[in-house]
Amino acid sequence: MIVATDVHKWYDKFHVLRGVSLTVYRGEVVVIMGPSGSGKSTFIRTFNALEAYQRGQIVIDGIELSHDLRNIDRIRQEVGMVFQQFNLFPHLTVLENVMLAPRWVRRWPKSQSEAVAMQLLERVGILEQGHKYPGQLSGGQQQRVAIARALAMQPKIMLFDEPTSALDPEMVREVLEVMRDLKSLTHTGMTMVVVTHEVGFAREVADRIAFMDGGVLVEEGTATDFFQHPREERTRQFLAQIL
């Protein structure tokens, strides 16, 4: 589903991605871990052209990500993203936030958009909050709305950029529970790439873990191999800090 080959990115003279290559297979859950400033978020944001890259190649479900706006639009319709901040429209209700993209991008009729939105709000456990505005919800509830909104476009790929980092500790668990439930959807073809520091979630849900540091992909492997048998010294140093 995602093939990134020798991806480089610069911010002026700062070389933030230094030849990163990663393949993510259909239905796979890949967790990207690493210290702050390692390039994790920048890397996954290149998958839907929120960040441009200057060298290398990225292919999403057979479509090469280039400067061609038609390709970018096609890719963005198939890739959902959940950010650190919820980015909900404060003047729209929860239900309206979830309905918005299917109505305007997919051109679904209102009845279909509303039915799908209600199903998704039920799936993430907040159907009863549909009539409220984002400001009336807790942070954890708002992030669950953001997940439902991304799912409303029926994407083939879901990207999560540290989705619990802006939450109070007691709210983290409810968001992680929703993400665990999403793994059960992988049999339908959904693919997930998650940037997170949540070790328990990574152990339980990840098919593979990729570890980045200094703009380089240092190591990747199964969750068991990564946590119990890391190959690289830099990986062992990182794990010693977080475990």
Side-chain angles (χ1 to χ4, degrees), residues 3 27 32 38 57 138 165 169 171 176 206 216 239:
V3 181
I32 302 178
S38 60
Q57 183 185 55
S138 70
S165 65
M171 297 178 183
L176 292 180
V216 175
L239 292 174

Side-chain angles (χ1 to χ4, degrees), residues 188-205:
T188 68
M190 180 173 293
T191 305
M192 297 167 61
V193 182
V194 184
V195 172
T196 186
H197 294 291
E198 298 292 338
V199 174
F201 174 82
R203 284 184 189 271
E204 180 183 344
V205 175

Side-chain angles (χ1 to χ4, degrees), residues 148-167:
R149 179 182 59 182
L151 290 171
M153 285 290 288
Q154 298 183 341
K156 296 178 181 177
I157 300 168
M158 283 286 286
L159 307 177
F160 294 86
D161 184 10
E162 300 194 36
T164 60
S165 65
L167 300 178

Side-chain angles (χ1 to χ4, degrees), residues 73-140:
D73 286 343
R74 286 170 63 196
I75 287 169
R76 284 180 174 167
Q77 288 189 35
E78 306 300 339
V79 179
M81 188 157 190
V82 178
F83 301 89
Q84 297 177 37
Q85 302 298 327
F86 321 124
N87 298 325
L88 301 173
F89 290 107
H91 65 290
L92 299 179
T93 66
V94 165
L95 185 63
E96 289 167 342
N97 266 278
V98 179
M99 291 172 58
L100 191 63
R103 289 209 68 194
W104 288 97
V105 180
R106 298 288 192 198
R107 301 294 182 185
W108 290 354
K110 180 179 179 181
S111 58
Q112 181 183 2
S113 300
E114 184 171 354
V116 169
M118 291 177 68
Q119 289 172 4
L120 290 169
L121 289 174
E122 184 173 20
R123 178 181 292 166
V124 300
I126 51 171
L127 178 59
E128 73 284 355
Q129 308 292 343
H131 65 286
K132 293 184 179 179
Y133 291 89
Q136 298 174 285
L137 305 184
S138 70

Side-chain angles (χ1 to χ4, degrees), residues 9 11 41-43 45-53 65:
K9 178 178 176 59
Y11 290 122
S41 294
T42 300
F43 184 46
R45 287 166 69 95
T46 64
F47 296 166
N48 59 359
L50 290 178
E51 294 280 1
Y53 61 97
L65 188 54

